[in-house]
């Protein structure tokens, strides 16, 4: 970095209290990379697939807790289900706050997402609004929109098999935009899907701790955007505009329609209609809470579904025996010429196990969003000071060989009993995939329903296989996944064929419930 950046770093480093680097002498801390004077482990933070490195360190140091220190900021990475449950679940009152990251939250503007908000009344207000429309008892009212988009996805895949990710984004975006804002999106190049995808891309790039130097040295955020070494500021300004548009534009559309006497059937309209009943806060403040709560729904719902269903398709390519077993179950339960329904889920335990294994095999968010410790604590004899960051490594938990033998294999039977029913005593991956304690994702029921139905529809109607190259040899998928806060399979090719003539007719016919 240019001289200005180095000068600022030097000033900041000199200002740091030296006592933070003698803590290892005064307090017992977990093992971890040794680090350097002043800057600590700033250059030890892994770049790309951090979750794998953290799990590797956990094995190398013989500890399920790894300690890092970045310029005085303590970071504790939890790599076991016991440590995560003991701290993030049982002591959730002390481990539910959030760190405000300079790049992601302040510069880019993702602080609007209530999943990233500090713990307190403001966060509770947003979560309460979200929860009342997405908890398990009411999510079924959204099933009609999930069904429509899952059915449309089949035709899109069959017509254009080389753009799976694009089709999945349309399916997920259409579902959540219809539920949240009452918006029926355009078949191609939809405006609202476009601005949301651009915004979410910035979250994937900036959401993990240490993704940008400014997160470790917040003083850098005061650099002018034109300064040498301030490309992060220029990128952040562009991304901030996209984030603002994602939250603002669909919300303002609903408000305008309501003002014109055309209220939409949507979560936003329902929440806005109920605001007059509340007199304890200014309406503008409550409207902002509605905007942030419903805007968060796109991030939480869309990308989870896209990554999970793409991961499922990848698994069917690599483990074709799983596909044939799931299809055999569907053929036994579902009458020919129709699609499965949510009501038949209990009769399809293997399909449900496929969904669970999809979530376990590779997580959308391999690292949980960092927590901030509210008060000094001690665990296993280790000192955890207030203000420390604590990160749950979901990938390490879901690839723990003691809980999931042969974790690299895609094996739905790990969630089944010997007679083929769901094993309620098997460790459920949902616990690690959707967060912990008071920060457990409130949209998980909607996400899991969407993932399950898409998996069931695809397995019922399509055979997924590896395509062939010009020499007739199968094209092997890389099986790689992207890095970042949100992780997706690297694009791959697949062949999709209707399982029968009846299946093809089913895919192409108009919506079965129209």
């Amino acid at each position: 970095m240019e001289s200005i950046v180095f000068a600022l770093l030097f000033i900041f480093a000199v200002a740091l209290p030296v006592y933070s680097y003698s803590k290892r002498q005064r307090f017992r801390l977990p093992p971890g990379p040794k680090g350097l004077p002043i800057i600590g482990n700033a250059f030890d933070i892994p770049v790309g697939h951090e979750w794998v490195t953290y799990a590797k360190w956990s094995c190398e140091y013989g500890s399920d807790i790894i300690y890092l220190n970045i310029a005085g900021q303590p970071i504790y990475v939890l790599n076991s289900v016991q440590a995560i449950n003991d701290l993030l679940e049982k002591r959730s009152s002390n481990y539910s706050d959030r760190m405000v990251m300079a790049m992601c939250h302040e510069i880019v503007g993702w602080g609007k997402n209530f999943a990233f908000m500090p713990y307190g009344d403001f966060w509770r207000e947003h979560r309460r609004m979200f929860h009342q429309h997405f908890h398990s008892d009411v999510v079924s009212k959204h099933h009609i929109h999930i069904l429509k988009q899952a059915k449309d996805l089949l035709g899109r895949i069959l017509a254009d098999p080389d753009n799976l990710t694009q089709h999945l984004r349309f399916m997920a975006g259409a579902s959540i935009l219809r539920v949240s804002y009452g918006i029926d999106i355009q078949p191609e190049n939809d405006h609202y899907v476009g601005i949301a995808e651009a915004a979410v891309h910035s979250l994937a790039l900036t959401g993990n701790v240490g993704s940008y130097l400014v997160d470790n040295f917040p003083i850098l955020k005061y650099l002018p955007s034109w300064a040498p070494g301030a490309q992060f500021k220029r990128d952040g300004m562009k991304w901030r505009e996209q984030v603002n548009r994602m939250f603002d534009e669909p919300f303002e559309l609903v408000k305008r329609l309501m003002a014109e006497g055309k209220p939409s059937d949507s979560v936003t309209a329902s929440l806005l209609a109920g605001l007059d009943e509340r007199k304890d806060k200014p309406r503008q403040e409550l409207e902002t809470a509605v905007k942030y709560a419903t805007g968060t729904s796109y991030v939480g719902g869309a990308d989870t579904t896209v990554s999970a269903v793409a991961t499922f398709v990848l698994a069917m390519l690599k483990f074709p025996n799983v596909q044939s077993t799931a299809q055999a179950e569907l053929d036994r339960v579902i009458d020919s010429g129709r699609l499965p329904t949510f009501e038949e889920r209990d009769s399809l335990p293997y399909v449900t196990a496929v969904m669970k294994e999809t979530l376990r095999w590779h997580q959308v968010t391999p690292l949980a969003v960092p927590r901030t410790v509210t008060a000094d604590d001690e665990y296993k004899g280790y000192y955890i000071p207030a203000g420390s960051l604590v990160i749950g490594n979901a990938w390490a938990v879901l690839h723990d060989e003691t809980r999931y033998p042969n974790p690299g294999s895609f094996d739905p039977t790990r969630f089944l009993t010997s007679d083929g029913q769901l094993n309620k005593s098997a460790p459920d991956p949902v616990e690690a995939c959707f967060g912990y304690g008071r920060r457990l994702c409130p949209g998980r029921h909607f996400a899991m329903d969407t993932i399950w139905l898409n998996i069931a529809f695809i397995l019922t109607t399509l055979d997924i296989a590896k395509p062939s190259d010009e020499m007739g040899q199968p094209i092997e998928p890389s099986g790689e996944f992207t890095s970042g806060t949100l992780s997706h399979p690297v694009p791959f090719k697949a062949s999709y064929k209707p399982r029968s003539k009846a299946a093809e007719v089913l895919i192409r016919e108009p919506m079965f419930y129209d």
Side-chain angles (χ1 to χ4, degrees):
M1 306 285 278
E2 283 81 351
S3 58
I4 293 178
V5 176
F6 280 118
L8 288 169
L9 288 176
F10 177 76
I11 294 171
F12 181 71
V14 170
L16 282 175
V18 177
Y19 79 89
S20 64
Y21 297 99
S22 63
K23 281 184 177 178
R24 282 189 186 272
Q25 307 302 320
R26 294 184 288 144
F27 302 106
R28 183 169 178 249
L29 296 172
K34 185 177 181 180
L36 298 170
I38 307 299
I39 63 173
N41 301 111
F43 297 116
D44 293 316
I45 296 293
V47 178
H49 299 93
E50 300 95 319
W51 46 91
V52 177
T53 301
Y54 292 145
K56 179 182 176 182
W57 284 348
S58 180
C59 293
E60 290 178 353
Y61 291 111
S63 171
D64 58 352
I65 306 176
I66 299 301
Y67 177 81
L68 300 164
N69 188 303
I70 301 179
Q73 173 63 64
I75 300 174
Y76 295 75
V77 184
L78 312 181
N79 294 283
S80 74
V81 68
Q82 180 187 353
I84 288 173
N85 285 338
D86 286 348
L87 297 182
L88 305 189
E89 292 279 355
K90 296 178 182 178
R91 305 184 191 180
S92 60
S93 61
N94 195 34
Y95 289 83
S96 293
D97 207 356
R98 292 287 196 224
M99 170 194 185
V100 176
M101 292 191 290
M103 185 64 179
C104 182
H105 301 164
E106 297 181 325
I107 296 174
V108 180
W110 276 110
K112 299 179 182 67
N113 184 328
F114 77 81
F116 297 147
M117 288 179 181
Y119 186 70
D121 291 341
F122 194 60
W123 169 78
R124 290 189 189 93
E125 178 74 25
H126 290 74
R127 185 181 174 90
R128 182 195 63 78
M129 288 182 171
F130 188 99
H131 176 75
Q132 70 186 74
H133 287 277
F134 289 97
H135 64 81
S136 59
D137 293 335
V138 302
V139 75
S140 60
K141 71 181 182 180
H142 305 313
H143 283 173
I144 190 71
H145 306 302
I146 298 174
L147 284 162
K148 181 182 186 306
Q149 296 307 325
K151 170 66 165 56
D152 289 350
L153 174 66
L154 300 174
R156 289 175 173 273
I157 291 175
L158 200 58
D160 182 17
D162 293 332
N163 288 296
L164 176 65
T165 300
Q166 177 182 326
H167 303 325
L168 292 177
R169 289 197 179 282
F170 184 93
M171 173 273 296
S175 298
I176 200 67
L177 286 170
R178 178 62 184 80
V179 168
S180 296
Y181 303 105
I183 295 173
D184 292 313
I185 68 176
Q186 299 301 309
E188 303 292 340
N189 303 316
D190 183 79
H191 172 73
Y192 295 102
V193 171
I195 60 176
E197 287 184 2
V200 171
H201 178 67
S202 71
L203 176 60
L205 295 175
T206 64
N208 276 345
V209 174
S211 297
Y212 279 81
L213 196 61
V214 66
D215 291 332
N216 304 331
F217 302 97
I219 194 172
L220 295 178
K221 69 185 177 183
Y222 298 109
L223 278 175
S225 59
W226 50 261
Q231 181 64 44
F232 72 94
K233 287 289 290 288
R234 297 188 285 274
D235 290 340
M237 291 170 63
K238 176 184 67 177
W239 294 333
R240 186 181 187 87
E241 180 182 353
Q242 294 167 345
V243 171
N244 287 341
R245 292 179 66 194
M246 189 197 82
F247 279 90
D248 292 345
E249 292 191 17
F251 177 79
E252 292 301 326
L253 173 64
V254 176
K255 282 188 64 179
R256 185 172 69 251
L257 290 174
M258 293 180 70
E260 295 171 356
K262 307 172 186 176
S264 63
D265 174 23
S266 68
V267 171
T268 300
S270 177
L271 289 172
L272 286 173
L275 292 186
D276 288 340
E277 303 172 6
R278 304 250 343 253
K279 303 297 183 182
D280 55 323
K281 291 184 179 180
R283 182 176 177 86
Q284 184 59 48
E285 182 179 335
L286 290 170
E287 284 193 2
T288 299
V290 171
K291 177 166 64 175
Y292 290 176
T294 52
T296 298
S297 68
Y298 184 94
V299 182
D303 245 59
T304 298
T305 303
V306 172
S307 178
V309 179
T311 298
F312 154 73
V313 174
L314 175 62
M316 296 305 97
L317 292 177
K318 296 178 72 66
F319 301 91
N321 61 305
V322 172
Q323 178 177 214
S324 58
T325 302
Q327 288 173 335
E329 179 182 73
L330 284 158
D331 292 345
R332 288 193 303 271
V333 174
I334 308 301
D335 298 332
S336 177
R338 71 176 182 87
L339 292 166
T341 66
F342 283 109
E343 290 71 26
E344 292 163 316
R345 184 160 29 182
D346 290 343
S347 301
L348 297 166
Y350 192 86
V351 174
T352 299
V354 169
M355 181 196 73
K356 289 178 178 288
E357 181 68 342
T358 296
L359 295 173
R360 185 208 66 82
W361 195 52
H362 189 82
Q363 303 73 54
V364 182
T365 52
L367 292 178
V369 179
R371 313 287 184 91
T372 301
V373 182
T374 304
D376 289 356
D377 199 7
E378 183 176 326
Y379 178 67
K380 292 185 176 181
Y382 295 134
Y383 173 63
I384 305 177
S388 298
L389 290 185
V390 177
I391 304 171
N393 188 347
W395 187 91
V397 169
L398 297 176
H399 288 76
D400 181 351
E401 294 188 0
T402 61
R403 288 167 59 83
Y404 303 104
N406 194 15
S409 177
F410 191 94
D411 182 12
T413 63
R414 65 176 87 243
F415 301 109
L416 300 174
T417 60
S418 58
D419 61 353
Q421 299 303 305
L422 286 175
N423 185 354
K424 296 182 180 180
S425 64
D428 193 340
V430 172
E431 299 170 357
C433 291
F434 291 96
Y436 311 93
R438 301 182 185 185
R439 288 288 186 165
L440 182 64
C441 173
R444 63 192 181 280
H445 304 293
F446 182 90
M448 286 191 292
D449 282 359
T450 304
I451 295 165
W452 184 89
L453 193 75
N454 278 276
I455 287 174
F457 275 20
I458 291 172
L459 287 169
T460 299
T461 57
L462 296 172
D463 281 324
I464 305 169
K466 298 172 186 176
S468 299
D469 60 20
E470 60 276 8
M471 302 298 292
Q473 297 300 311
I475 300 174
E476 296 289 339
S478 70
E480 296 178 356
F481 288 80
T482 63
S483 291
T485 308
L486 307 170
S487 183
H488 297 261
V490 171
F492 56 88
K493 291 186 179 295
S495 170
Y496 309 90
K497 293 182 180 180
R499 295 185 60 209
S500 65
K501 194 66 178 177
E504 184 173 6
V505 170
L506 184 60
I507 291 171
R508 299 188 187 282
E509 71 179 4
M511 279 306 302
F512 57 92
Y513 61 80
D514 283 347

mmCIF file of all heavy atoms in Angstrom, residues 35 87 149 217 230 383 419 424 454 502:
data_model
loop_
_atom_site.group_PDB
_atom_site.id
_atom_site.type_symbol
_atom_site.label_atom_id
_atom_site.label_comp_id
_atom_site.label_asym_id
_atom_site.label_seq_id
_atom_site.Cartn_x
_atom_site.Cartn_y
_atom_site.Cartn_z
ATOM 1 N N GLY A 35 1.675 -14.620 15.621
ATOM 2 C CA GLY A 35 1.461 -13.236 15.242
ATOM 3 C C GLY A 35 2.709 -12.384 15.388
ATOM 4 O O GLY A 35 3.781 -12.849 15.808
ATOM 5 N N LEU A 87 -21.224 -21.672 24.629
ATOM 6 C CA LEU A 87 -21.110 -20.211 24.637
ATOM 7 C C LEU A 87 -22.265 -19.521 23.915
ATOM 8 O O LEU A 87 -22.940 -18.663 24.485
ATOM 9 C CB LEU A 87 -19.774 -19.797 24.014
ATOM 10 C CG LEU A 87 -18.526 -20.265 24.768
ATOM 11 C CD1 LEU A 87 -17.262 -19.760 24.084
ATOM 12 C CD2 LEU A 87 -18.550 -19.796 26.221
ATOM 13 N N GLN A 149 -43.089 -20.918 -8.168
ATOM 14 C CA GLN A 149 -41.731 -20.697 -8.666
ATOM 15 C C GLN A 149 -40.958 -22.005 -8.807
ATOM 16 O O GLN A 149 -40.132 -22.143 -9.715
ATOM 17 C CB GLN A 149 -40.995 -19.716 -7.753
ATOM 18 C CG GLN A 149 -41.617 -18.324 -7.725
ATOM 19 C CD GLN A 149 -41.798 -17.743 -9.119
ATOM 20 O OE1 GLN A 149 -40.983 -17.962 -10.025
ATOM 21 N NE2 GLN A 149 -42.881 -16.993 -9.304
ATOM 22 N N PHE A 217 -8.062 -2.078 10.796
ATOM 23 C CA PHE A 217 -7.559 -0.747 11.124
ATOM 24 C C PHE A 217 -8.621 0.283 10.732
ATOM 25 O O PHE A 217 -8.539 0.918 9.677
ATOM 26 C CB PHE A 217 -6.238 -0.471 10.398
ATOM 27 C CG PHE A 217 -5.160 -1.474 10.715
ATOM 28 C CD1 PHE A 217 -4.926 -2.549 9.868
ATOM 29 C CD2 PHE A 217 -4.408 -1.358 11.864
ATOM 30 C CE1 PHE A 217 -3.944 -3.478 10.151
ATOM 31 C CE2 PHE A 217 -3.418 -2.295 12.168
ATOM 32 C CZ PHE A 217 -3.184 -3.360 11.314
ATOM 33 N N ALA A 230 -6.955 3.696 -1.545
ATOM 34 C CA ALA A 230 -8.341 3.797 -1.073
ATOM 35 C C ALA A 230 -9.334 3.210 -2.071
ATOM 36 O O ALA A 230 -10.483 3.628 -2.127
ATOM 37 C CB ALA A 230 -8.689 5.252 -0.779
ATOM 38 N N TYR A 383 -9.493 -17.085 29.231
ATOM 39 C CA TYR A 383 -10.033 -15.748 29.472
ATOM 40 C C TYR A 383 -10.630 -15.202 28.175
ATOM 41 O O TYR A 383 -9.997 -15.230 27.115
ATOM 42 C CB TYR A 383 -8.911 -14.834 29.973
ATOM 43 C CG TYR A 383 -9.296 -13.383 30.109
ATOM 44 C CD1 TYR A 383 -10.294 -12.983 31.007
ATOM 45 C CD2 TYR A 383 -8.643 -12.393 29.372
ATOM 46 C CE1 TYR A 383 -10.630 -11.644 31.149
ATOM 47 C CE2 TYR A 383 -8.969 -11.059 29.513
ATOM 48 C CZ TYR A 383 -9.978 -10.690 30.393
ATOM 49 O OH TYR A 383 -10.300 -9.369 30.528
ATOM 50 N N ASP A 419 -34.816 -48.682 9.455
ATOM 51 C CA ASP A 419 -36.018 -48.991 8.676
ATOM 52 C C ASP A 419 -36.412 -47.850 7.739
ATOM 53 O O ASP A 419 -37.529 -47.823 7.219
ATOM 54 C CB ASP A 419 -37.189 -49.344 9.596
ATOM 55 C CG ASP A 419 -37.559 -48.207 10.529
ATOM 56 O OD1 ASP A 419 -36.828 -47.189 10.568
ATOM 57 O OD2 ASP A 419 -38.580 -48.326 11.236
ATOM 58 N N LYS A 424 -34.613 -39.132 14.649
ATOM 59 C CA LYS A 424 -34.724 -37.911 15.440
ATOM 60 C C LYS A 424 -33.538 -37.712 16.380
ATOM 61 O O LYS A 424 -33.321 -36.595 16.880
ATOM 62 C CB LYS A 424 -36.028 -37.922 16.228
ATOM 63 C CG LYS A 424 -37.265 -37.897 15.344
ATOM 64 C CD LYS A 424 -38.545 -37.861 16.168
ATOM 65 C CE LYS A 424 -39.773 -37.826 15.266
ATOM 66 N NZ LYS A 424 -41.033 -37.796 16.053
ATOM 67 N N ASN A 454 -38.191 -27.614 -3.918
ATOM 68 C CA ASN A 454 -37.434 -27.606 -5.170
ATOM 69 C C ASN A 454 -36.696 -28.924 -5.390
ATOM 70 O O ASN A 454 -36.644 -29.442 -6.500
ATOM 71 C CB ASN A 454 -36.473 -26.417 -5.193
ATOM 72 C CG ASN A 454 -37.138 -25.134 -5.620
ATOM 73 O OD1 ASN A 454 -37.279 -24.850 -6.801
ATOM 74 N ND2 ASN A 454 -37.573 -24.342 -4.653
ATOM 75 N N ALA A 502 -44.602 -38.565 -19.400
ATOM 76 C CA ALA A 502 -45.544 -37.948 -18.465
ATOM 77 C C ALA A 502 -44.877 -36.822 -17.672
ATOM 78 O O ALA A 502 -45.495 -35.783 -17.405
ATOM 79 C CB ALA A 502 -46.109 -39.004 -17.517
#
